[in-house]
Amino acid sequence: MRGGRVASVGSRGGVPVPSGATVVNLNGRTIIPGLVNTHGRVSGDRAELIRQLRLCAEYGITTVGSLGGDGA
């Protein structure tokens, strides 16, 4: 990670690791990019909107294109 972004990935020994870096063993796991929901429906007052977007983030959704709600 560099600046909050994945800088490089690879097998042990296949990627140079800077001194002082933390190595995270992800054997047997899958890493995917953030998911995009282009048909989202988030609405409500500010607190509800934030609650819904935080829930999306917990599911790995990093971008939501909201079609709007039923309100004004």
Side-chain angles (χ1 to χ4, degrees):
M1 301 291 292
R2 187 176 301 119
R5 294 181 179 260
V6 175
S8 61
V9 295
S11 60
R12 185 175 292 257
V15 175
V17 179
S19 63
T22 301
V23 176
V24 179
N25 183 347
L26 298 173
N27 286 340
R29 298 186 182 199
T30 302
I31 299 174
I32 64 170
L35 302 172
V36 176
N37 179 355
T38 60
H39 195 96
R41 295 193 187 276
V42 292
S43 63
D45 63 17
R46 181 176 171 77
E48 177 63 12
L49 179 64
I50 290 171
R51 185 195 70 75
Q52 291 173 19
L53 292 175
R54 283 190 175 140
L55 182 61
C56 288
E58 287 182 28
Y59 291 141
I61 299 170
T62 60
T63 306
V64 176
S66 179
L67 301 175
D70 295 331

